[in-house]
Amino acid sequence: QQHQQQQAPVIVLSQEELSRHALSIQKQAADGLMCLLRNIGAAYRLLSRYNCQGSIDGFLSLPQHQVETHFVLRSIAKAHFHANDYQASVRYFERVVATAPQLVQELEFYSTALWHLQREVQLSALAQELVGISRSKAASWCAVGNCFSLQKEHDAAIKFLSRAVQVEPECPYAYTLLGHEHIATEEMDRALGCYRNAIRISPRHYNAWYGIGLVLYKQEKFSHAEYHFRKALNIHPNSCILLCHIAVVQHALGKSNASLQTLSKALSLEPNNAMCRYNRASVYLDLAQPSTAL
């Protein structure tokens, strides 16, 4: 028996139909691209407002191949940094470096996260690596400065952080780190100058507003310190650390009940924050409530 092979019918499209089909494909591609850009923009907007968890959730909701890009990984690392989750921040910064080893942009936050975690060996290795890659970026010299700061060699740290602001004078975080080191060496006027330079470059740089508040607190100008801490908190409203410093100033001003309320709010954000718990115990001790303090 012979089987007749059937051929599939050939569909011939007119030029007009081909054009409409091509336009439909282009529209689908454009819509997909715009949706991706909207989602990235929304997550970045949350990060710029220091809604750290919302930003992290937004970036992680992107397609996996987008999550693995240098920009998205760096943004997630920064969000964890601003949320004081330095362990997670370091993990993402490690992926950032693995993704693009030659890019040092914003790695000053990476070195500071290592400083907070007291990872001296890893910080030293990062500093050497960044200086080897680029001597013209503030991030490289910030890493070196953080390395010496961790070793309590504050004069050397000031030297290298001064180099950071020299090679990249528009980097506000470099000025802030330099201000912190001047506080460590009791050079309060120089510290204030550094923080003010950071605010001049970036008025929403909450770290610098915090730094000015810290200087004023050490000078026992408590009302002015509270004002500057609140300026920082207005920028970063979910910062447990800023709330804790405001509470300390409130207690110094004799507003102990307000201080306890502020500390309760801080602990609602980070229930296991040791600094907040310690300061709350100190307030209760000063209120002659030793059992509650204990």
Side-chain angles (χ1 to χ4, degrees):
Q1 183 180 2
Q2 294 181 351
H3 297 277
Q4 185 178 4
Q5 185 177 6
Q6 295 182 352
Q7 294 182 348
V10 178
I11 301 174
V12 180
L13 299 177
S14 67
Q15 187 64 40
E16 183 180 351
E17 288 172 327
L18 286 172
S19 297
R20 283 202 302 267
H21 183 63
L23 287 172
S24 176
I25 292 175
Q26 290 176 2
K27 184 177 184 304
Q28 290 176 14
D31 288 345
L33 177 60
M34 290 307 297
C35 180
L36 173 65
L37 292 176
R38 278 196 302 270
N39 291 337
I40 292 175
Y44 189 76
R45 181 173 181 268
L46 291 172
L47 175 59
S48 70
R49 295 190 171 196
Y50 299 102
N51 184 340
C52 299
Q53 191 56 55
S55 175
I56 292 167
D57 293 341
F59 281 120
L60 291 178
S61 69
L62 298 172
Q64 187 59 34
H65 66 279
Q66 294 292 338
V67 174
E68 295 300 324
T69 60
H70 183 270
F71 171 78
V72 173
L73 288 173
R74 192 177 78 235
S75 298
I76 296 173
K78 284 174 57 184
H80 281 296
F81 179 88
H82 291 305
N84 303 320
D85 187 352
Y86 301 118
Q87 297 273 7
S89 180
V90 165
R91 287 198 301 271
Y92 275 97
F93 271 123
E94 288 171 347
R95 292 167 64 181
V96 168
V97 173
T99 302
Q102 298 303 311
L103 293 180
V104 302
Q105 184 180 2
E106 296 184 318
L107 292 188
E108 59 268 26
F109 296 104
Y110 182 19
S111 64
T112 303
L114 292 172
W115 183 93
H116 280 289
L117 295 174
Q118 305 284 293
R119 294 187 184 177
E120 184 175 341
V121 174
Q122 193 174 352
L123 177 54
S124 177
L126 176 67
Q128 292 181 42
E129 182 180 351
L130 294 183
V131 170
I133 293 171
S134 176
R135 291 174 171 264
S136 61
K137 294 294 184 181
S140 303
W141 300 110
C142 284
V144 179
N146 278 330
C147 192
F148 280 102
S149 175
L150 186 55
Q151 298 169 6
K152 307 299 182 185
E153 297 183 29
H154 298 296
D155 289 335
I158 289 172
K159 173 184 174 182
F160 288 108
L161 290 169
S162 298
R163 178 64 176 164
V165 300
Q166 183 181 19
V167 299
E168 201 169 341
E170 296 304 308
C171 178
Y173 196 58
Y175 282 104
T176 298
L177 291 176
L178 181 57
H180 293 344
E181 292 305 308
H182 281 307
I183 287 180
T185 56
E186 301 294 329
E187 298 172 293
M188 299 303 173
D189 289 339
R190 290 187 176 183
L192 283 174
C194 291
Y195 296 135
R196 286 167 180 158
N197 273 323
I199 292 170
R200 172 183 54 81
I201 298 165
S202 176
R204 296 191 72 253
H205 190 62
Y206 74 91
N207 311 77
W209 288 107
Y210 157 79
I212 293 176
L214 195 59
V215 170
L216 294 171
Y217 173 75
K218 288 181 175 292
Q219 294 176 339
E220 298 187 359
K221 299 176 181 178
F222 300 126
S223 296
H224 291 89
E226 183 180 6
Y227 169 80
H228 285 85
F229 285 145
R230 288 197 179 277
K231 288 281 288 186
L233 187 67
N234 287 337
I235 299 167
H236 188 352
N238 297 313
S239 173
C240 173
I241 301 302
L242 291 174
L243 285 167
C244 187
H245 278 85
I246 289 172
V248 170
V249 171
Q250 286 174 327
H251 182 54
L253 290 169
K255 299 183 286 187
S256 299
N257 290 330
S259 176
L260 289 172
Q261 291 175 2
T262 304
L263 286 167
S264 295
K265 183 178 179 180
L267 286 166
S268 70
L269 297 171
E270 291 185 33
N272 295 319
N273 187 286
M275 185 170 71
C276 289
R277 288 184 173 276
Y278 171 77
N279 280 297
R280 187 164 67 168
S282 299
V283 173
Y284 278 121
L285 195 61
D286 288 344
L287 292 175
Q289 300 181 40
S291 60
T292 307
L294 184 59

